[in-house]
Amino acid sequence: MPDDHEAGPPRPRVSVVLPTYNRAHVVTAAIESVLAQTFSDLELLVVDDLSTDDTAAVVARVADPRVVYLRNARTKGVSGARNTGIFAARGEWLCQIDSDDIWEPTFLERLWRGMESAGEEVGVVYGSLAVVEDGRVVREHPASMSGFTYPRMLYEHFFFHVAAAFRASLLREVGGYDETLSVNEDTDLQLRVTARCAVLAVPEARYLYVSRPGERLMRDHAAAAASMRRYLEKHAALLAQHPLAKYRAVNAVLVAALKGRSWRLAGEMWLAMLPAALSMPRWFGRHQLQALRLAVDAVAGPRS
Protein backbone atom coordinates (compact mmCIF):
# COMPACT_ATOMS: atom_id res chain seq x y z
CA MET A 1 0.00 0.00 0.00
CA PRO A 2 1.41 3.44 -0.89
CA ASP A 3 1.98 5.90 1.97
CA ASP A 4 -0.70 8.62 1.84
CA HIS A 5 1.93 11.14 2.88
CA GLU A 6 4.01 10.28 -0.18
CA ALA A 7 1.14 10.79 -2.66
CA GLY A 8 0.55 13.96 -4.67
CA PRO A 9 3.03 16.79 -5.28
CA PRO A 10 6.61 16.65 -3.94
CA ARG A 11 6.71 16.64 -0.18
CA PRO A 12 7.57 19.98 1.42
CA ARG A 13 10.31 19.99 3.99
CA VAL A 14 8.07 21.64 6.57
CA SER A 15 4.33 21.53 7.16
CA VAL A 16 2.74 24.43 9.03
CA VAL A 17 -0.60 23.89 10.77
CA LEU A 18 -2.80 26.91 11.43
CA PRO A 19 -5.99 26.05 13.39
CA THR A 20 -8.69 28.70 13.34
CA TYR A 21 -12.25 29.28 14.46
CA ASN A 22 -14.17 32.48 13.70
CA ARG A 23 -10.97 34.51 13.35
CA ALA A 24 -11.50 35.82 9.82
CA HIS A 25 -10.61 39.34 10.96
CA VAL A 26 -7.05 38.37 11.97
CA VAL A 27 -6.19 35.11 10.20
CA THR A 28 -4.92 36.84 7.04
CA ALA A 29 -2.00 38.38 8.93
CA ALA A 30 -0.97 34.95 10.26
CA ILE A 31 -1.22 33.40 6.81
CA GLU A 32 0.79 36.19 5.21
CA SER A 33 3.51 35.95 7.84
CA VAL A 34 4.00 32.25 6.98
CA LEU A 35 3.99 32.80 3.21
CA ALA A 36 6.48 35.68 3.58
CA GLN A 37 9.09 33.46 5.25
CA THR A 38 12.59 33.53 3.81
CA PHE A 39 12.41 29.73 3.97
CA SER A 40 9.77 28.80 1.41
CA ASP A 41 9.77 24.98 1.09
CA LEU A 42 6.58 24.57 3.08
CA GLU A 43 2.91 23.81 2.98
CA LEU A 44 0.41 25.75 5.08
CA LEU A 45 -2.57 23.74 6.31
CA VAL A 46 -5.30 26.13 7.43
CA VAL A 47 -7.68 24.03 9.54
CA ASP A 48 -11.08 25.68 9.87
CA ASP A 49 -12.88 24.25 12.89
CA LEU A 50 -16.30 24.81 11.27
CA SER A 51 -16.28 28.59 11.57
CA THR A 52 -19.53 30.49 11.19
CA ASP A 53 -17.90 33.67 9.89
CA ASP A 54 -16.32 34.23 6.45
CA THR A 55 -13.07 32.40 7.22
CA ALA A 56 -13.48 30.15 4.16
CA ALA A 57 -13.84 33.14 1.82
CA VAL A 58 -10.87 34.92 3.38
CA VAL A 59 -8.61 31.88 2.90
CA ALA A 60 -9.92 31.33 -0.65
CA ARG A 61 -8.64 34.78 -1.61
CA VAL A 62 -5.04 33.74 -0.85
CA ALA A 63 -3.50 32.90 -4.23
CA ASP A 64 -0.64 30.64 -3.19
CA PRO A 65 -0.52 26.93 -4.07
CA ARG A 66 1.23 26.17 -0.79
CA VAL A 67 -1.97 26.92 1.12
CA VAL A 68 -4.27 23.95 1.81
CA TYR A 69 -7.69 24.68 3.31
CA LEU A 70 -9.17 21.95 5.51
CA ARG A 71 -12.59 22.27 7.12
CA ASN A 72 -13.65 20.03 9.97
CA ALA A 73 -17.03 18.35 9.58
CA ARG A 74 -17.79 19.26 13.19
CA THR A 75 -16.30 21.66 15.69
CA LYS A 76 -13.57 19.69 17.47
CA GLY A 77 -11.91 22.39 19.55
CA VAL A 78 -8.37 23.63 19.14
CA SER A 79 -6.78 20.25 19.98
CA GLY A 80 -8.97 18.49 17.43
CA ALA A 81 -8.21 21.14 14.81
CA ARG A 82 -4.48 20.74 15.43
CA ASN A 83 -4.83 16.98 15.03
CA THR A 84 -6.61 17.39 11.71
CA GLY A 85 -3.54 19.23 10.45
CA ILE A 86 -1.04 16.86 12.06
CA PHE A 87 -2.52 13.79 10.39
CA ALA A 88 -2.88 15.51 7.00
CA ALA A 89 0.62 17.03 6.97
CA ARG A 90 3.13 15.78 4.37
CA GLY A 91 6.32 17.40 5.63
CA GLU A 92 8.93 15.63 7.72
CA TRP A 93 8.82 18.43 10.26
CA LEU A 94 5.71 20.18 11.52
CA CYS A 95 5.29 23.68 12.94
CA GLN A 96 2.21 25.50 14.17
CA ILE A 97 1.00 29.07 14.26
CA ASP A 98 -2.14 30.28 15.97
CA SER A 99 -4.53 32.32 13.87
CA ASP A 100 -3.95 35.58 15.75
CA ASP A 101 -0.14 35.39 15.93
CA ILE A 102 2.65 36.13 13.44
CA TRP A 103 6.14 34.95 12.58
CA GLU A 104 9.18 37.12 12.06
CA PRO A 105 10.24 36.69 8.39
CA THR A 106 13.34 34.66 9.29
CA PHE A 107 11.66 32.49 11.97
CA LEU A 108 11.39 29.35 9.86
CA GLU A 109 14.78 29.77 8.15
CA ARG A 110 16.49 29.95 11.53
CA LEU A 111 14.49 27.07 12.90
CA TRP A 112 15.28 25.03 9.77
CA ARG A 113 19.02 25.33 10.46
CA GLY A 114 18.32 23.57 13.74
CA MET A 115 16.23 20.89 12.01
CA GLU A 116 19.01 20.29 9.48
CA SER A 117 21.64 19.87 12.18
CA ALA A 118 19.46 17.83 14.56
CA GLY A 119 20.61 14.29 15.32
CA GLU A 120 18.19 11.37 15.21
CA GLU A 121 17.61 11.67 18.95
CA VAL A 122 16.14 15.18 18.52
CA GLY A 123 12.39 15.26 18.01
CA VAL A 124 11.75 18.93 18.83
CA VAL A 125 13.57 22.02 17.60
CA TYR A 126 12.24 25.14 19.27
CA GLY A 127 12.74 28.89 19.21
CA SER A 128 12.13 31.82 21.50
CA LEU A 129 8.75 33.42 22.08
CA ALA A 130 8.06 37.15 22.36
CA VAL A 131 4.80 38.56 23.71
CA VAL A 132 3.64 41.56 21.69
CA GLU A 133 1.10 44.15 22.85
CA ASP A 134 0.18 47.23 20.84
CA GLY A 135 2.98 46.55 18.37
CA ARG A 136 5.81 46.27 20.90
CA VAL A 137 7.49 43.38 22.67
CA VAL A 138 6.56 43.42 26.36
CA ARG A 139 8.03 40.08 27.44
CA GLU A 140 10.40 37.45 26.07
CA HIS A 141 10.85 33.74 26.71
CA PRO A 142 14.27 32.86 25.27
CA ALA A 143 15.03 29.33 24.10
CA SER A 144 18.03 27.95 25.96
CA MET A 145 17.63 24.34 27.08
CA SER A 146 18.73 21.44 24.85
CA GLY A 147 19.07 17.69 25.35
CA PHE A 148 16.88 15.19 27.15
CA THR A 149 14.63 17.29 29.35
CA TYR A 150 11.86 14.95 30.55
CA PRO A 151 10.03 15.64 32.88
CA ARG A 152 11.17 19.29 33.09
CA MET A 153 7.85 20.47 31.69
CA LEU A 154 6.25 19.62 35.04
CA TYR A 155 8.21 22.44 36.65
CA GLU A 156 8.90 24.95 33.91
CA HIS A 157 7.18 25.71 30.62
CA PHE A 158 10.58 26.10 28.98
CA PHE A 159 9.36 25.82 25.37
CA PHE A 160 6.13 26.67 23.63
CA HIS A 161 4.53 24.20 21.25
CA VAL A 162 3.64 26.94 18.76
CA ALA A 163 7.27 28.15 18.67
CA ALA A 164 8.60 24.69 17.86
CA ALA A 165 9.14 22.25 15.02
CA PHE A 166 8.26 18.61 15.79
CA ARG A 167 9.10 15.54 13.77
CA ALA A 168 5.68 14.86 12.25
CA SER A 169 6.09 11.10 12.59
CA LEU A 170 6.69 11.51 16.33
CA LEU A 171 3.53 13.57 16.78
CA ARG A 172 1.53 10.89 15.01
CA GLU A 173 3.17 8.12 17.04
CA VAL A 174 2.04 9.73 20.32
CA GLY A 175 -1.47 10.27 18.92
CA GLY A 176 -1.28 14.04 18.60
CA TYR A 177 -3.10 16.24 21.08
CA ASP A 178 -5.48 14.81 23.67
CA GLU A 179 -8.82 16.08 22.43
CA THR A 180 -10.43 15.61 25.85
CA LEU A 181 -8.28 18.45 27.19
CA SER A 182 -9.16 22.09 26.56
CA VAL A 183 -6.51 23.33 29.03
CA ASN A 184 -3.01 21.87 29.58
CA GLU A 185 -3.26 20.10 26.22
CA ASP A 186 0.08 21.63 25.24
CA THR A 187 1.86 20.53 28.43
CA ASP A 188 0.34 17.07 28.09
CA LEU A 189 1.69 16.73 24.54
CA GLN A 190 5.08 18.14 25.46
CA LEU A 191 5.45 15.66 28.31
CA ARG A 192 4.57 12.72 26.08
CA VAL A 193 6.93 13.87 23.33
CA THR A 194 9.94 14.75 25.51
CA ALA A 195 9.64 11.35 27.20
CA ARG A 196 10.75 9.93 23.81
CA CYS A 197 13.25 12.41 22.44
CA ALA A 198 15.76 15.19 23.00
CA VAL A 199 15.07 18.85 22.20
CA LEU A 200 17.25 21.48 20.51
CA ALA A 201 17.01 25.21 21.30
CA VAL A 202 17.40 27.81 18.54
CA PRO A 203 17.24 31.12 20.45
CA GLU A 204 17.54 33.37 17.39
CA ALA A 205 14.27 32.01 15.93
CA ARG A 206 11.48 34.11 17.42
CA TYR A 207 7.72 33.51 17.43
CA LEU A 208 5.54 36.56 18.05
CA TYR A 209 2.61 35.87 20.37
CA VAL A 210 0.21 38.75 19.84
CA SER A 211 -1.68 39.62 23.01
CA ARG A 212 -4.93 41.50 22.40
CA PRO A 213 -6.32 42.29 25.87
CA GLY A 214 -9.37 44.08 24.43
CA GLU A 215 -10.41 40.94 22.54
CA ARG A 216 -10.01 38.43 25.35
CA LEU A 217 -13.15 36.54 26.22
CA MET A 218 -14.12 35.55 29.75
CA ARG A 219 -12.66 32.12 30.39
CA ASP A 220 -15.08 29.39 31.32
CA HIS A 221 -13.29 28.66 34.58
CA ALA A 222 -15.51 25.69 35.48
CA ALA A 223 -14.72 23.96 32.16
CA ALA A 224 -11.04 24.85 32.52
CA ALA A 225 -10.96 23.35 36.02
CA ALA A 226 -12.54 20.13 34.77
CA SER A 227 -9.99 19.85 31.97
CA MET A 228 -7.10 20.54 34.35
CA ARG A 229 -8.39 17.82 36.65
CA ARG A 230 -8.36 15.34 33.73
CA TYR A 231 -4.73 16.31 33.13
CA LEU A 232 -3.99 15.62 36.82
CA GLU A 233 -5.63 12.21 36.65
CA LYS A 234 -3.87 11.32 33.40
CA HIS A 235 -0.42 12.05 34.86
CA ALA A 236 -1.16 11.00 38.45
CA ALA A 237 1.61 8.38 38.61
CA LEU A 238 4.24 10.79 37.29
CA LEU A 239 3.10 13.65 39.51
CA ALA A 240 3.21 11.39 42.57
CA GLN A 241 6.99 11.21 42.04
CA HIS A 242 7.23 15.03 41.94
CA PRO A 243 5.32 16.44 44.93
CA LEU A 244 5.99 20.13 44.28
CA ALA A 245 4.81 19.83 40.68
CA LYS A 246 1.78 17.89 41.88
CA TYR A 247 0.75 20.49 44.46
CA ARG A 248 1.27 23.30 41.98
CA ALA A 249 -1.03 21.52 39.53
CA VAL A 250 -3.61 20.77 42.23
CA ASN A 251 -3.54 24.42 43.31
CA ALA A 252 -4.12 25.54 39.71
CA VAL A 253 -7.23 23.36 39.56
CA LEU A 254 -8.35 24.74 42.92
CA VAL A 255 -7.99 28.32 41.70
CA ALA A 256 -9.92 27.65 38.49
CA ALA A 257 -12.62 25.75 40.39
CA LEU A 258 -13.09 28.63 42.84
CA LYS A 259 -13.29 31.17 40.01
CA GLY A 260 -15.83 28.93 38.26
CA ARG A 261 -17.76 28.27 41.50
CA SER A 262 -17.25 24.53 41.12
CA TRP A 263 -17.45 24.06 44.87
CA ARG A 264 -17.30 20.27 44.98
CA LEU A 265 -14.19 20.14 42.81
CA ALA A 266 -12.65 22.98 44.82
CA GLY A 267 -13.24 20.99 48.01
CA GLU A 268 -11.61 17.89 46.53
CA MET A 269 -8.58 19.89 45.45
CA TRP A 270 -8.30 21.57 48.86
CA LEU A 271 -8.24 18.17 50.53
CA ALA A 272 -5.66 16.97 48.01
CA MET A 273 -3.42 19.88 49.01
CA LEU A 274 -3.56 19.19 52.76
CA PRO A 275 -0.45 16.93 52.83
CA ALA A 276 1.55 19.95 51.64
CA ALA A 277 0.84 21.59 55.02
CA LEU A 278 3.40 19.22 56.56
CA SER A 279 5.95 18.95 53.77
CA MET A 280 5.98 22.58 52.63
CA PRO A 281 4.06 24.68 55.21
CA ARG A 282 5.07 28.14 53.98
CA TRP A 283 4.09 27.33 50.40
CA PHE A 284 0.83 25.80 51.63
CA GLY A 285 -0.03 28.79 53.82
CA ARG A 286 0.61 31.30 51.04
CA HIS A 287 -1.62 29.47 48.59
CA GLN A 288 -4.34 28.87 51.17
CA LEU A 289 -4.60 32.63 51.68
CA GLN A 290 -4.96 33.05 47.92
CA ALA A 291 -7.66 30.37 47.82
CA LEU A 292 -9.53 32.02 50.70
CA ARG A 293 -9.58 35.38 48.94
CA LEU A 294 -10.83 33.76 45.74
CA ALA A 295 -13.54 31.89 47.65
CA VAL A 296 -14.74 35.10 49.32
CA ASP A 297 -14.77 36.92 45.96
CA ALA A 298 -16.66 34.07 44.29
CA VAL A 299 -19.32 33.97 47.03
CA ALA A 300 -19.69 37.76 47.01
CA GLY A 301 -20.19 37.75 43.25
CA PRO A 302 -19.39 40.57 40.79
CA ARG A 303 -19.20 44.05 42.26
CA SER A 304 -21.56 46.69 40.92
Side-chain angles (χ1 to χ4, degrees):
M1 293 283 293
D3 186 342
D4 290 340
H5 297 284
E6 296 288 351
R11 291 179 63 180
R13 293 179 179 178
V14 178
S15 294
V16 182
V17 174
L18 190 165
T20 188
Y21 177 73
N22 286 349
R23 304 292 285 171
H25 60 295
V26 294
V27 72
T28 300
I31 293 172
E32 289 177 348
S33 78
V34 173
L35 299 180
Q37 291 294 298
T38 53
F39 178 93
S40 60
D41 191 359
L42 61 88
E43 65 175 355
L44 173 58
L45 307 172
V46 180
V47 183
D48 184 351
D49 201 28
L50 203 61
S51 296
T52 57
D53 64 3
D54 59 345
T55 292
V58 167
V59 177
R61 288 197 288 270
V62 179
D64 192 308
R66 295 174 295 172
V67 177
V68 179
Y69 175 75
L70 303 173
R71 183 174 171 87
N72 283 336
R74 60 179 177 83
T75 300
K76 299 171 65 179
V78 67
S79 295
R82 294 189 196 282
N83 283 344
T84 296
I86 288 169
F87 287 93
R90 298 187 306 114
E92 178 185 357
W93 290 88
L94 186 143
C95 298
Q96 300 182 73
I97 181 171
D98 285 343
S99 57
D100 53 352
D101 293 337
I102 56 176
W103 283 354
E104 290 186 334
T106 56
F107 173 76
L108 197 53
E109 179 183 353
R110 290 170 171 175
L111 211 58
W112 173 252
R113 292 175 192 159
M115 298 178 229
E116 269 195 314
S117 66
E120 292 184 0
E121 76 283 0
V122 174
V124 182
V125 177
Y126 73 100
S128 302
L129 181 138
V131 180
V132 177
E133 288 185 8
D134 298 323
R136 62 187 182 89
V137 174
V138 296
R139 189 165 62 258
E140 296 215 36
H141 300 273
S144 61
M145 192 179 304
S146 297
F148 289 95
T149 58
Y150 181 81
R152 183 80 181 191
M153 194 58 63
L154 289 178
Y155 295 94
E156 178 187 0
H157 212 93
F158 69 92
F159 84 90
F160 295 83
H161 64 151
V162 289
F166 296 82
R167 290 194 190 274
S169 59
L170 178 60
L171 286 181
R172 289 190 279 267
E173 284 171 15
V174 302
Y177 289 84
D178 184 338
E179 297 183 20
T180 70
L181 299 176
S182 59
V183 178
N184 289 139
E185 77 285 353
D186 53 346
T187 306
D188 169 70
L189 178 80
Q190 288 159 298
L191 277 172
R192 289 185 284 120
V193 167
T194 54
R196 295 176 175 231
C197 71
V199 303
L200 176 65
V202 182
E204 61 273 19
R206 198 165 69 154
Y207 181 100
L208 302 182
Y209 173 83
V210 182
S211 177
R212 295 180 171 87
E215 293 186 8
R216 289 176 186 158
L217 301 176
M218 288 293 290
R219 177 189 285 271
D220 185 342
H221 292 291
S227 176
M228 293 158 73
R229 182 189 188 178
R230 286 194 292 273
Y231 167 85
L232 272 178
E233 293 171 343
K234 181 174 183 176
H235 297 284
L238 175 62
L239 286 165
Q241 301 171 35
H242 300 272
L244 178 58
K246 174 185 175 180
Y247 291 129
R248 283 178 176 174
V250 169
N251 184 67
V253 181
L254 173 60
V255 167
L258 288 171
K259 289 181 177 179
R261 300 186 181 185
S262 299
W263 304 119
R264 182 173 180 177
L265 178 55
E268 291 175 6
M269 293 299 103
W270 182 79
L271 288 173
M273 281 186 65
L274 281 179
L278 296 176
S279 58
M280 47 189 75
R282 293 181 63 182
W283 183 92
F284 177 80
R286 184 170 66 252
H287 287 84
Q288 286 303 293
L289 284 175
Q290 177 196 33
L292 179 60
R293 294 190 192 102
L294 287 171
V296 170
D297 289 346
V299 170
R303 295 177 176 85
S304 58

